[in-house]
């Protein structure tokens, strides 16, 4: 269960989250001078340090589970310079001992920078980074570790192309995990305007019939509905396709034809309504009636268990193509001619035109990639949520491709000189004390 | 200490509002209302409760003042909190009091595309690409793998999270590659793991005149330990440097290096295939309508010296069986093939 004051201000605890309260706490965090004075016993120091760290590192993981995950061995790497290794075989380090070539150690001059040490202690919580939910958070696919956990539980996370509903799955080096992009956009996107979240009222079914070009509009609507039906029918088999990273054959998914049938029925209903309410010419009415007649067998075919969605949509598209009841095109042509006659673009040079075109292309591309879409659960066009940038960091043990919301866990996090890969907001001493706390049983 | 008296105006207002409220709500006789008013309007020694607590007030001040720069992201690179302690390079430490965690740059879209092109279209070995750009071998492989999925999505017409990717890459420090010119290495590629055998301090008496190399040092740590020259991910790189030191022309050395990495990659691939074939040999697959049953040959006598080997099948006397323990009730897989 989530603690009551998750982002408290009075007794602040740092959390794995991009919350603005967390940002405030992080910005105002001073080094907790644990163990500097003699007012605390060693036990008390360790206890306090471990408490601070556990509030950040996987606070949703029960202590017992973490104790089982903890490893006293801390991983590190040393850089090997191939140039040096080619020139020397290592014997020069042992040569000349006692023969005058030895350089006496000068301890008093040993003012090595603090940044030159290998910060092993910062790796105390490295095993936690192996957890799937934490890795999803580190790859910046979720706004908090708890949300990442929810994504796993809700089945939005795949590991090597297979659904992985366990947030406690421990990634192995080379594992690829991917999160449903819609969830990622929701988690990282700005919140929707609450007024826009209210369900909008549906327009009344019956339309006023005094509009002259209403039939054309209605026919266009019917076509749009048919397109939707096509999309719905095609979306199903696309989901079942082979994931490129699995060896398993895709499970055959039977296409659910119910929505398609419903949409065909809607089209028929609309056509009937148009015949009844609009003043159409005889020919238009005839073609509409013919269309209704032709669609009926299609509907029964869609109801059969052996129905193929692509065939049905193809048929439907062909029928709609044959149906020509739009208003006369002569008026449109006239208006087009008018627009061409006083074109403001005539005055521009070719270079300017090119520039304009490039900008238009860019704009259109943006519009296509990031459209306004009120059906989405986040603000559209998508934009990052506020107070996100200061948390943006991707540790080196992950390789992330943001376009497909997938990442590869390359290896376990390691420490190297002056650099530890575990993202922890706490200083060295606190981590050291916490590490010592967990050494207790081992 | 004299009692603190709340200012006259506010108490008067509160009394008036209280009177009106009670008169509307109760609308009883006048005497009750006046008595209530008297009781409320009396002197109070406590200060009126502030709207926000001190910590809330401080938070609001910060978030609307100094912290407001973090609210909207400016697309010109990372925007981290100011570090407290003296950091090596300011601006790349997301945690103010941890100087040991640095936000390393990620490869941008163009760099990933370049890597993918080199491996998949120009057919260069992964190790050669890794050495050329200074990118870890595993990372090169991962970039190609992810890029392949991306291309696959594009072909299938699946929608990519482009706006998200653009925003993310503008928030993160990025690093780019030029395919034509000399690049600064992206990361250290020839890192060797600190092996636990090498973490011990040992007393190893040896003669002064002895030529004690890395090879000997490895043997001193453990008889099976390999020397660092063999444990690095790019032993071919060391050979190339040796060739250069021996006076080989850079062009020839590079060609030889490429040949060597090609061979080593070929070898690794063959090894993998052989392993898969060997496993297949001991596996019998039986396809049913719903499942594919896989039978593996197994020697039940193979139980280890104590007879308690963890990898044995079935229940063994004296060997603990953790299946019913609380932690083991949900079987979380340990690997996904």
């Amino acid at each position: 269960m989530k603690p009551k004051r998750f982002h408290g201000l009075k007794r602040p605890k740092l959390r794995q989250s991009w919350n603005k309260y967390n940002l405030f706490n992080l910005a105002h965090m001073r080094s907790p001078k644990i163990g500097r004075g003699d007012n605390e016993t060693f036990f008390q120091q360790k206890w306090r340090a471990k408490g601070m760290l556990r509030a950040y590192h996987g606070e949703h993981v029960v202590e017992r589970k973490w104790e089982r995950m903890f490893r006293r061995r801390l991983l590190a790497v040393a850089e090997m310079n191939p140039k040096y290794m080619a020139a020397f075989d290592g014997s020069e380090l042992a040569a000349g001992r006692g023969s005058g070539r030895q350089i006496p150690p000068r301890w008093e001059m040993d003012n090595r920078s603090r940044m030159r040490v290998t910060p092993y202690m910062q790796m105390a919580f490295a095993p936690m980074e192996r957890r799937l939910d934490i890795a999803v958070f580190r790859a910046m696919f979720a706004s908090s570790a708890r949300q990442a956990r929810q994504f796993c539980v809700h089945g939005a996370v795949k590991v090597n192309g297979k659904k992985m509903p366990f947030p406690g799955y421990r990634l192995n080096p080379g594992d690829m995990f991917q999160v449903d992009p819609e969830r990622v956009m929701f988690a990282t996107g700005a919140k929707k305007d609450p007024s826009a979240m209210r369900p909008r009222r549906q327009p009344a079914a019956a339309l006023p019939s005094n509009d002259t070009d209403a039939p054309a509009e209605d026919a266009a609507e019917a076509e749009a509905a048919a397109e939707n039906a096509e999309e719905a029918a095609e979306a199903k088999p696309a989901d079942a396709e082979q994931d490129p990273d699995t060896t398993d054959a895709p499970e055959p998914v039977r296409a659910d034809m119910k929505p398609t049938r419903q949409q065909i029925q809607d089209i028929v209903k609309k056509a009937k309504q148009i015949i009844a309410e609009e003043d159409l010419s005889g020919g238009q009415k005839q073609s509409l009636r013919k269309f209704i007649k032709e669609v009926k067998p299609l509907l029964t075919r869609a109801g059969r268990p052996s129905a193929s969605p692509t065939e049905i949509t193809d048929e439907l598209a062909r029928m709609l193509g044959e149906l020509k009841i739009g208003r006369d095109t002569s008026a449109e042509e006239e208006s087009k001619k008018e627009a061409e006659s006083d074109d403001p673009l005539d005055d521009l040079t070719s270079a300017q035109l090119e520039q304009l075109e490039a900008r238009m292309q860019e704009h259109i591309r943006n519009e296509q990639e990031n459209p306004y879409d009120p059906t989405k659960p986040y603000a559209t066009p998508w934009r990052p949520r506020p107070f996100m940038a200061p948390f943006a960091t991707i540790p080196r043990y992950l390789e992330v491709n943001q376009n497909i919301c997938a990442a590869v866990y390359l290896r376990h996090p390691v420490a190297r000189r002056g650099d530890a890969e575990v993202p922890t907001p706490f200083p060295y001493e606190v981590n050291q004390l916490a590490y010592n706390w967990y050494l207790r049983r081992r | 200490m004299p009692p603190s008296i709340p200012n006259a105006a506010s108490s008067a207002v509160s009394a008036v509002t209280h009177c009106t409220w009670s008169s509307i709500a109760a609308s009883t006789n006048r005497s009750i209302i006046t008595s209530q008013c008297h009781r409320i309007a009396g002197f109070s020694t406590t200060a009126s409760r502030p709207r926000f607590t001190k910590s809330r007030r401080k938070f609001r001040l910060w978030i609307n003042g100094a912290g407001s720069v973090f609210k909207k992201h400016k697309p010109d690179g990372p925007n981290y909190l100011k570090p407290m302690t003296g950091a090596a390079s300011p601006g790349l430490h997301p945690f103010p009091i941890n100087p040991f965690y640095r936000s390393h740059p990620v490869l941008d879209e163009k760099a990933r595309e370049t890597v993918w092109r080199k491996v998949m279209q120009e057919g260069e070995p992964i190790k050669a690409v890794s050495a050329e750009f200074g990118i870890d071998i595993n990372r090169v492989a991962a970039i190609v793998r992810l890029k392949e999925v991306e291309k696959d999505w594009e072909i299938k017409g699946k929608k990519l999270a482009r706006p998200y990717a653009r925003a993310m890459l503008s928030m993160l420090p990025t690093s780019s590659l030029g395919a034509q010119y000399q690049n600064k290495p992206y990361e250290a590629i020839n890192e060797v793991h600190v092996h636990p055998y090498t973490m011990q301090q040992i007393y190893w008496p040896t003669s002064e005149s002895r030529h004690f190399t890395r090879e000997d040092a490895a043997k001193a740590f453990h008889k099976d330990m390999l020397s660092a020259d063999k444990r690095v991910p790019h032993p071919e790189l060391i050979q190339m440097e040796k060739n250069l030191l021996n006076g080989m022309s850079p062009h020839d050395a590079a060609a030889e290096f490429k040949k060597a990495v090609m061979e080593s990659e070929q070898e690794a691939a063959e090894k993998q295939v052989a392993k898969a074939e060997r496993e297949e040999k001991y596996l019998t697959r039986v396809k049913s309508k719903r499942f594919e049953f896989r039978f593996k040959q197994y020697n039940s006598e193979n139980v280890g010296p104590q007879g308690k080997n963890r990898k044995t099948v079935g229940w063994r006397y004296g060997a603990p069986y953790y299946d019913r323990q609380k932690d083991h009730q949900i079987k979380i897989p340990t690997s996904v093939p």
Side-chain angles (χ1 to χ4, degrees):
Chain A
M1 206 181 76
K2 198 167 163 182
K4 209 171 171 195
R5 287 196 181 78
F6 197 62
H7 296 296
L9 291 171
K10 205 171 181 185
R11 273 180 291 275
K13 285 193 167 64
L14 300 185
R15 305 286 189 186
Q16 281 175 331
S17 120
W18 304 342
N19 191 291
K20 62 179 176 184
Y21 288 90
N22 197 34
L23 181 67
F24 173 78
N25 288 338
L26 191 62
H28 289 77
M29 176 86 178
R30 296 286 171 275
S31 180
K33 295 186 173 62
I34 305 182
R36 297 278 172 82
D38 55 356
N39 52 347
E40 277 176 316
T41 63
F42 189 40
F43 183 92
Q44 285 169 336
Q45 292 169 19
K46 288 193 289 188
W47 170 263
R48 196 148 73 88
K50 160 271 182 176
M52 287 166 76
L53 272 138
R54 281 293 279 123
Y56 178 82
H57 289 282
E59 90 3 269
H60 58 282
V61 181
V62 246
E63 184 69 359
R64 190 175 52 236
K65 292 243 163 109
W66 158 241
E67 277 179 357
R68 291 181 75 97
M69 274 160 72
F70 175 78
R71 293 285 172 273
R72 60 182 302 158
R73 211 191 128 202
L74 305 165
L75 303 183
V77 288
E79 199 191 334
M80 289 289 167
N81 185 357
K83 257 190 190 132
Y84 165 77
M85 290 178 93
F88 303 96
D89 60 358
S91 60
E92 89 285 353
L93 290 173
R97 288 228 163 191
S99 326
R101 281 179 64 195
Q102 184 191 4
I103 306 159
R106 293 192 295 172
W107 302 116
E108 77 287 353
M109 293 295 286
D110 191 16
N111 54 354
R112 276 178 302 175
S113 159
R114 203 162 146 269
M115 297 307 291
R116 299 293 291 165
V117 302
T118 305
Y120 273 102
M121 286 303 130
Q122 297 293 77
M123 306 295 294
F125 278 83
M128 201 65 110
E129 305 297 312
R130 255 186 97 176
R131 273 180 67 103
L132 179 60
D133 52 353
I134 308 270
V136 166
F137 170 70
R138 293 296 189 207
M140 306 203 61
F141 297 148
S143 65
S144 70
R146 274 179 180 268
Q147 192 179 38
R149 184 191 139 80
Q150 194 194 38
F151 286 174
C152 297
V153 172
H154 288 193
V157 181
K158 281 182 184 172
V159 174
N160 292 342
K162 283 192 192 125
K163 194 171 96 179
M164 176 54 73
F166 306 115
Y169 171 72
R170 287 156 85 200
L171 291 162
N172 296 313
D175 273 354
M176 178 169 118
F177 56 93
Q178 47 194 133
V179 187
D180 178 17
E182 273 305 304
R183 303 271 185 140
V184 174
M185 303 274 270
F186 167 70
T188 57
K191 241 200 273 176
K192 211 168 177 178
D193 179 24
S195 64
M197 288 215 265
R198 249 178 276 130
R200 278 203 279 167
R201 287 189 60 198
Q202 295 296 317
L207 289 156
S209 56
N210 51 2
D211 206 347
T212 46
D213 56 5
E217 266 180 23
D218 284 6
E221 259 177 55
E223 271 174 61
E227 271 169 22
N228 283 346
E230 278 174 53
E231 274 169 21
E234 275 162 9
K236 293 285 172 241
D239 280 347
E241 258 168 56
Q242 167 76 42
D243 208 293
D245 295 288
T246 35
T247 47
D248 279 21
E251 293 163 29
V253 177
R254 255 194 57 201
D256 182 15
M257 300 298 290
K258 238 184 194 160
T260 320
R261 270 179 65 103
Q262 185 60 48
Q263 271 157 325
I264 295 172
Q265 279 167 346
D266 285 349
I267 293 167
V268 172
K269 215 165 132 192
K270 196 133 223 170
K272 278 182 184 167
Q273 203 179 356
I274 291 165
I275 293 172
E277 288 172 7
E278 314 298 338
D279 44 341
L280 301 170
S281 68
Q284 281 175 329
K285 274 185 185 172
Q286 244 176 18
S287 62
L288 264 177
R289 287 207 189 96
K290 191 170 155 244
F291 171 73
I292 292 167
K293 218 172 160 187
E294 277 179 348
V295 160
K296 263 179 192 163
L298 202 65
L299 197 61
T300 47
R301 260 172 58 197
R304 279 181 206 144
S306 59
S308 146
T310 44
E311 268 178 33
I312 283 163
T313 45
D314 285 351
E315 277 283 285
L316 199 61
R318 187 187 56 77
M319 284 179 200
L320 277 166
E322 282 173 5
L323 184 69
K324 288 215 167 29
I325 48 168
R327 82 180 151 145
D328 285 344
T329 47
S330 55
E332 278 176 27
E333 275 168 18
E334 268 175 37
S335 62
K336 219 185 227 172
K337 269 179 202 160
E338 270 174 41
E340 273 168 19
S341 62
D342 50 4
D343 195 353
L345 297 180
D346 288 344
D347 310 333
L348 297 174
T349 62
S350 61
Q352 276 173 318
L353 263 175
E354 247 170 50
Q355 221 174 17
L356 199 69
E357 198 163 318
R359 233 184 304 155
M360 270 307 279
Q361 290 288 342
E362 171 79 21
H363 187 73
I364 288 166
R365 204 168 46 104
N366 274 349
E367 197 68 21
Q368 274 171 352
E369 281 170 0
N370 198 5
Y372 168 73
D373 185 356
T375 59
K376 298 282 188 221
Y378 45 82
T380 46
W382 186 91
R383 57 180 192 277
R385 46 182 282 161
F387 300 107
M388 182 174 165
F391 296 107
T393 171
I394 290 178
R396 283 222 148 165
Y397 56 86
L398 294 175
E399 176 57 37
V400 185
N401 189 327
Q402 285 86 3
N403 284 321
I404 53 171
C405 299
V408 173
Y409 182 79
L410 297 176
R411 52 185 160 76
H412 298 314
V414 291
R416 50 174 70 84
R417 227 179 215 187
D419 189 12
E421 279 183 349
V422 175
T424 174
F426 295 97
Y428 192 83
E429 300 79 35
V430 182
N431 271 283
Q432 190 175 35
L433 285 164
Y435 177 72
N436 274 290
W437 170 270
Y438 289 109
L439 278 183
R440 182 176 58 159
R441 288 172 57 223
R442 280 153 250 260
Chain B
M1 206 175 95
S4 64
I5 299 164
N7 65 47
S10 73
S11 60
V13 166
S14 74
V16 168
T17 50
H18 190 89
C19 280
T20 45
W21 177 82
S22 54
S23 63
I24 291 159
S27 70
T28 45
N29 63 49
R30 199 164 190 80
S31 63
I32 291 171
I33 293 163
T34 43
S35 72
Q36 267 181 349
C37 281
H38 276 293
R39 209 172 63 215
I40 299 300
F43 281 114
S44 168
T45 52
T46 44
S48 62
R49 191 166 148 266
R51 189 143 166 246
F52 296 114
T53 56
K54 192 185 168 196
S55 48
R56 290 260 298 142
R57 232 177 314 126
K58 270 172 74 182
F59 166 73
R60 283 168 63 86
L61 267 177
W62 185 80
I63 210 86
N64 297 322
S68 60
V69 289
F70 302 112
K71 186 166 186 183
K72 263 216 174 118
H73 172 62
K74 289 173 246 78
D76 51 357
N79 189 10
Y80 294 131
L81 293 167
K82 225 177 85 207
M84 300 276 169
T85 46
S89 58
L92 284 181
H93 295 268
F95 304 115
I97 55 172
N98 177 10
F100 288 114
Y101 181 76
R102 210 178 134 237
S103 179
H104 288 282
V106 296
L107 288 168
D108 63 4
E109 293 275 7
K110 257 191 193 157
R112 289 180 205 162
E113 189 69 35
T114 308
V115 169
W116 176 82
R117 205 191 59 234
K118 283 259 174 191
V119 175
M120 296 307 288
Q121 290 189 330
E122 294 172 21
E124 282 193 34
I126 288 180
K127 269 189 169 181
V129 177
S130 163
E132 185 186 347
F133 296 125
I135 304 174
D136 185 47
I137 300 175
N138 294 324
R139 194 182 301 280
V140 173
I143 289 169
V144 173
R145 187 177 171 194
L146 292 165
K147 207 74 196 168
E148 281 289 291
V149 178
E150 189 187 323
K151 305 263 173 200
D152 186 60
W153 279 30
E154 269 175 1
I155 289 165
K156 282 180 187 161
K158 265 196 188 177
K159 206 171 175 207
L160 302 178
R162 289 249 191 245
Y164 164 71
R166 227 173 293 135
M168 275 293 105
L169 288 177
S170 71
M171 282 178 196
L172 293 162
T174 53
S175 158
S176 48
L177 301 177
Q180 274 79 39
Y181 37 89
Q182 198 85 28
N183 289 295
K184 235 177 88 185
Y186 172 69
E187 61 191 329
I189 52 167
N190 230 18
E191 282 176 330
V192 65
H193 217 86
V194 178
H195 198 279
Y197 285 158
T198 62
M199 301 272 278
Q200 51 187 334
Q201 290 189 354
I202 46 175
Y203 181 70
W204 193 261
T206 180
S207 70
E208 265 181 36
S209 56
R210 191 173 156 196
H211 193 68
F212 198 80
T213 60
R214 280 192 289 270
E215 203 77 42
D216 300 319
K219 286 286 159 295
F221 280 126
H222 193 270
K223 62 177 172 37
D224 295 334
M225 181 104 195
L226 291 173
S227 76
D229 306 59
K230 284 173 190 147
R231 288 197 297 132
V232 290
H234 284 281
E236 298 87 4
L237 221 49
I238 299 173
Q239 188 54 46
M240 188 184 82
E241 293 293 342
K242 271 183 189 163
N243 288 346
L244 283 174
L245 282 176
N246 292 341
M248 198 187 259
S249 76
H251 182 78
D252 291 352
E256 197 149 298
F257 168 73
K258 211 161 233 184
K259 205 178 133 217
V261 293
M262 195 78 104
E263 270 168 16
S264 84
E265 221 171 83
Q266 191 79 27
E267 212 172 281
E270 275 167 13
K271 229 183 221 171
Q272 216 171 356
V273 170
K275 195 186 166 211
E277 275 174 1
R278 203 168 51 245
E279 270 170 16
E280 197 63 28
K281 211 173 123 191
Y282 293 108
L283 197 72
T284 318
R285 292 167 189 265
V286 177
K287 266 224 158 97
S288 77
K289 214 169 182 185
R290 222 175 132 186
F291 301 107
E292 188 191 71
F293 293 99
R294 293 171 195 171
F295 296 99
K296 228 183 226 177
Q297 283 185 18
Y298 191 83
N299 182 8
S300 62
E301 299 298 312
N302 209 353
V303 289
Q306 254 85 47
K308 292 182 186 178
N309 194 338
R310 299 274 320 251
K311 290 191 175 165
T312 50
V313 282
W315 181 79
R316 262 154 223 291
Y317 183 78
Y321 200 52
Y322 291 111
D323 248 30
R324 284 166 179 246
Q325 218 185 23
K326 212 178 168 199
D327 274 3
H328 291 254
Q329 273 172 358
I330 303 167
K331 297 277 187 293
I332 299 178
T334 50
S335 71
V336 182

